[in-house]
Amino acid sequence: MQNISLTRYLIEEQREDRIGADLRLLIEVVARACKTISVAVGKGALGGVLGEAGSGNIQGEAQKKLDVIANDVLLEANAWGGHLAACASEEMDHCHPIPDVYPRGNYLLLFDPLDGSSNIDVNVSVGTIFSVLRCPEGVTQAADEHFLQPGTEQVSAGYCIYGPSTMLVLTIGNGTHAFTLDREMGSFMLTQREMRVPAATKEFAINMSNQRHWEAPMQDYVRDLLAGETGPRGKNFNMRWIASMVADVHRILTRGGIFIYPWDRKDPTKVGKLRLMYEANPMSLLIEQAGGASSNGRMRMMEIVPTQLHQRVPVFLGSREEVAKATEYHLAHDAKATSAVA
Ligand code: P6P
């Protein structure tokens, strides 16, 4: 593969009129911020950045020092460029309009600055997830409600995984592509064009410790996976669970699989653990652009109309035939329940 940097890839996409200068700048700025985060994460204990920050976020989660650092890096990097109207983050209660001292642009940026941060202290891969929406016409002071757009409205999405290598996986709506950070040059280099998720899989990713809390169709679906080749599915399945969404999704983009975080009864008030706007939707766009599928167990993820900035959602994403199968179990269960009532 030719030595194509992220900058060259974006310039070539702009030359083909697939993105404008502002979106190109936005992506370059986010990528540069991810390089800064990669350096901080890579220092580990030597950087004095491990452990708790001593604060909590709107999710009710204790923040890690690196959660706060990553959030601040992304806010600072995106403040002055003139390409954004506002940012929203897992780590902030409400959206953060670009300060009045800077020009504002037409995009809204959402991010989970450091997803999987519970893994940092045990040196497991973590990542930054981001999603880009257009700011609605005529809005000069963006507020939370302006972010409440379905995933189909995303103009770009991506993640940066801080693993053995640091990789940026990106879509601007023209396929999903992977860039590996050349640390000597400080550039993201295109290392995989057009990632493709195999349609079928024999590998599922789920936290099995929650099994007793799942609803019936989820119990039935996983029971049949575990029954293997002598069961209804007629094949044996393998399981992986890294408990870092970016790492699990990266594996699925690379070799297929299905990632599931279903609704469970542990906290019936929560419809899921993962957040729609800056986890499920960006990952769904990346997966769909790579030929995969993503649902909440009953409908296409990216068609969900959001009602809250931090709303949670059940997630089924990956190999499209497996996502369809899991969704089928849920819809069949609902149809039976409906006919029983009728
Ligand atoms: P559990 C990390 O905290 C995260 O938000 C995702 O990255 C990950 O897939 C999930 O939660 C892990 O959840 O309940 O298995 O720890």
Side-chain angles (χ1 to χ4, degrees):
M1 181 175 287
Q2 284 179 303
N3 281 340
I4 295 179
S5 67
L6 174 66
T7 299
R8 176 174 167 185
Y9 167 79
L10 293 172
I11 286 172
E12 290 173 350
E13 290 300 293
Q14 185 179 346
R15 198 170 288 149
E16 299 294 324
D17 289 331
R18 285 195 278 263
I19 54 169
D22 268 6
L23 182 54
R24 176 163 69 84
L25 172 61
L26 197 174
I27 294 168
E28 293 258 35
V29 164
V30 170
R32 197 159 42 247
C34 289
K35 283 190 267 189
T36 304
I37 295 167
S38 175
V39 169
V41 168
K43 284 181 178 167
L46 297 176
V49 294
L50 299 185
E52 308 288 331
S55 51
N57 63 18
I58 190 171
Q59 325 292 341
E61 296 162 345
Q63 290 175 306
K64 298 283 190 183
K65 287 178 189 169
L66 275 169
D67 282 324
V68 178
I69 291 168
N71 196 65
D72 291 347
V73 165
L74 282 158
L75 287 180
E76 190 284 325
N78 282 285
W80 43 266
H83 49 278
L84 272 189
C87 296
S89 165
E90 178 187 84
E91 302 304 332
M92 302 188 298
D93 296 5
H94 297 288
C95 77
H96 175 85
I98 295 303
D100 293 337
V101 294
Y102 297 121
R104 289 183 179 164
N106 302 316
Y107 292 107
L108 302 174
L109 176 66
L110 303 97
F111 48 81
D112 179 354
L114 207 61
D115 179 72
S117 54
S118 56
N119 287 303
I120 288 171
D121 297 347
V122 294
N123 203 26
V124 166
S125 298
V126 292
T128 298
I129 309 171
F130 66 91
S131 169
V132 184
L133 296 167
R134 289 185 183 82
C135 187
E137 284 292 321
V139 171
T140 53
Q141 183 72 20
D144 290 0
E145 72 259 24
H146 301 121
F147 285 78
L148 302 183
Q149 303 175 36
T152 48
E153 292 301 308
Q154 294 175 100
V155 295
S156 178
Y159 61 78
C160 192
I161 180 169
Y162 311 112
S165 65
T166 287
M167 293 183 74
L168 178 74
V169 176
L170 172 71
T171 182
I172 55 172
N174 181 33
T176 295
H177 312 285
F179 300 81
T180 302
L181 180 61
D182 176 336
R183 292 189 186 283
E184 290 172 58
M185 299 295 290
S187 305
F188 279 107
M189 302 305 291
L190 181 61
T191 45
Q192 193 172 354
R193 199 187 277 272
E194 289 298 355
M195 299 180 89
R196 301 302 295 171
V197 181
T201 185
K202 294 181 178 178
E203 192 163 75
F204 66 97
I206 195 165
N207 181 339
M208 285 296 290
S209 71
N210 297 321
Q211 183 176 21
R212 65 188 181 284
H213 302 299
W214 295 336
E215 59 177 315
M218 192 56 215
Q219 300 272 3
D220 296 344
Y221 171 67
V222 171
R223 180 202 59 219
D224 290 351
L225 292 180
L226 296 175
E229 57 190 7
T230 59
R233 299 299 309 276
K235 60 181 178 178
N236 295 325
F237 283 80
N238 188 28
M239 196 196 102
R240 287 285 182 276
W241 187 248
I242 305 175
S244 178
M245 186 184 197
V246 173
D248 280 313
V249 171
H250 190 72
R251 184 191 59 254
I252 289 165
L253 270 169
T254 305
R255 73 183 191 208
I258 182 170
F259 172 95
I260 304 173
Y261 211 110
W263 173 84
D264 62 47
R265 291 185 180 81
K266 277 194 295 187
D267 181 347
T269 64
K270 287 181 184 172
V271 294
K273 173 172 187 182
L274 301 177
R275 274 64 55 151
L276 174 63
M277 297 304 295
Y278 39 79
E279 290 173 331
N281 271 343
M283 291 308 202
S284 298
L285 183 58
L286 290 163
I287 287 283
E288 285 199 5
Q289 284 288 318
S294 177
S295 93
N296 67 351
R298 287 163 165 102
M299 67 178 284
R300 183 185 177 207
M301 184 71 73
M302 292 206 293
E303 291 176 356
I304 293 173
V305 179
T307 54
Q308 292 168 2
L309 189 57
H310 298 289
Q311 78 183 66
R312 298 172 188 267
V313 67
V315 179
F316 298 74
L317 65 79
S319 296
R320 64 177 180 275
E321 290 175 9
E322 200 55 39
V323 172
K325 175 65 77 174
T327 305
E328 186 186 303
Y329 273 72
H330 286 75
L331 295 178
H333 168 270
D334 295 353
K336 194 182 299 181
T338 304
S339 61
V341 169

